[in-house]
Amino acid sequence: MMGKTIALIGALDTKGADYAFVKREIEKRGHYALTINTGVLGEPLFEPDVPAERVSLAGGMTLDELRREKDKSLAMSVMTRGIAKVVKELFDQGLIDGGLSMGGSNGTMIGTSGLRALPVGVPKVMVSTVASGDTQPYVGISDIVMVPSILDVAGLNRISAKIYANAVGIIVGMVESEVPPIETKPLITASMFGNTTKLINQCATQLEENGYEVLVFHATGTGGKTMESLIDQGYITGVLDVTTTELADELVGGVLSAGPTRMEAAAKWALPQVIAPGCLDMVNFWGMSTVPDKYRDRLLYCWNDNITLMRTTPEENAKLGRLLAEKANRSKGEVAIFLPLQGLSELDAPGREFWWPEADQALFDAIRQYARKDISIYELDCNINDAMFAQAVTSKLLDMLQHEYE
C-alpha cells in the first residue's frame, strides 16, 4: 500500500514539540504528514508545509495584522474561518487523505473547523482537552473521532506520548482501511424517533424489498442536520420525512432542534418526498428538572431519566402546521403529505398520555389551509405507527420514485 498523506493541523509555536512527535510517528508508519500551522503569536518550532500566513489570509487578514491587533478573539475567528478553506482546498486538490489535530478548547475549535471541511468518510481525528464534554459545537454533523487528551496538549511526557501514539494509530488505521465492495442501491432517507420506530421499521422493510437502501436518521437535532447535509451533497434519491418533530423544538424552544433550515434540502433539490407530522405532538427537554419554569404546568411525560417530553398545544400545533406546509411548498419536486387522524406518535393515540384530538385537529387544519393546492394531502383514519399508514406512505414514495426515473 502506498503511503497516505495526513494533514496535521495545529499551533506549531506553542505546541511544536507535540506535533513534531506526532509527525515522526506518522512517518515511522510509512505515511506522510502535511503540517499546517495555525499558531499566531510566535514562530513555529519547525518549518510547516502550510504556514500560518496562508491560513490567516484565507480567513480574511494577514498574519502581521493579527499580531498587531493582539486580539485573541479576532485571531480565533480568522484562523477558524481560514483553516476550513485551506483544508478544503488541499483535499479538493487531492493532496490529503485525512486529518489530525490536537489542542485545548481554542485549538479544538480551530482544528475541528478544518476537519469538518473534509467530507463524510474521510478519516479525521481530534485529540482534545474537551473531548469528554459536550462535543456538538466541535463535531457538528461530521464524523470526527474525538480522543480525550487526558492532560493539556502542552508538552511530551510518558502519558501524553502514549495518547499521541494512540491517536496516530487511530488515524493510520483509518487511512489504511479499504472499503470492501458492497452492493450499491439508491439511497432513501427516513426520519425516526422513539415514538415512530414501529412506523419506520415497517417502511424500511418495504423499501428494501423494492431495491432501495434506507438511511434512518434519529430526529434529535443532529440527526436532522445530518440528513439535510447528505441530501444537500447529492447522495439521496428520495425522502421519507415522516418524523418532523424537530420543527416543534425549533418553534417552542426544545433541546433537539435541527435549526431553521430543517426540511429545506429535499425541496431545493427537487427530490421526491413524502412528509408526515410525526411526533409534532411533543417537544423535548432533558431530565425533568431541566424543563423551563414557564412550562412546569404543561402536560409532561418522562420518556426516560434523561428525556422529558412536553405535549404541544392547539396554538403551537396551528403554527407548526403552517410551518410544515410552508416547508413543503418550497419543493420543486413531487411531494405528498400524509395525516394520521388517530395520532402522531405512540403517546398520541386514543387512551394514551398525549392523546389530544383538538390539538391534532389544529395541526391538520393549518396544513390543509397553507399547503399549495397542487400538493396532495392524504388523511388516514389510523395512528402513525399502524401498518395502514406505513403501507400508504411507502407505496406513495415508491410511486414517486418510479415516475421520477421512467
Side-chain angles (χ1 to χ4, degrees), residues 167-299:
V168 170
I170 293 169
I171 192 69
V172 166
M174 293 170 78
V175 297
E176 289 181 352
S177 296
E178 300 286 346
V179 179
I182 59 172
E183 183 182 2
T184 58
K185 300 177 182 179
L187 295 175
I188 304 293
T189 62
S191 52
M192 186 183 80
F193 218 39
N195 268 280
T196 53
T197 300
K198 185 178 178 182
L199 165 67
I200 295 302
N201 286 345
Q202 297 173 82
C203 295
T205 298
Q206 295 176 46
L207 289 166
E208 289 163 359
E209 288 173 351
N210 280 273
Y212 293 93
E213 185 175 349
V214 182
L215 305 181
V216 179
F217 294 89
H218 200 189
T220 56
T222 300
K225 289 177 182 177
T226 306
M227 185 174 81
E228 297 287 317
S229 174
L230 289 179
I231 293 170
D232 231 4
Q233 292 176 51
Y235 290 104
I236 307 305
T237 299
V239 176
L240 189 69
D241 202 354
V242 290
T243 309
T244 47
T245 185
E246 288 155 319
L247 297 182
D249 282 56
E250 173 69 10
L251 176 73
V252 181
V255 297
L256 300 184
S257 168
T261 60
R262 178 70 173 87
M263 290 186 68
E264 294 183 7
K268 179 173 71 175
W269 294 106
L271 292 183
Q273 60 174 327
V274 171
I275 297 169
C279 295
L280 283 181
D281 57 313
M282 59 186 65
V283 177
N284 297 268
F285 296 103
W286 303 129
M288 190 68 75
S289 63
T290 71
V291 177
D293 290 341
K294 63 181 177 179
Y295 295 139
R296 290 289 179 163
D297 61 347
R298 293 278 293 270
L299 177 54

Side-chain angles (χ1 to χ4, degrees), residues 112 144 260 296 305 318 332 346 376 396:
T112 54
I144 296 172
R296 290 289 179 163
D305 289 345
K332 300 174 183 177
E346 281 186 12
S376 298
K396 182 61 179 178

Side-chain angles (χ1 to χ4, degrees), residues 380-396:
L380 280 71
D381 190 23
C382 63
N383 183 267
I384 196 167
N385 288 298
D386 289 347
M388 177 194 303
F389 197 83
Q391 179 65 44
V393 295
T394 307
S395 295
K396 182 61 179 178

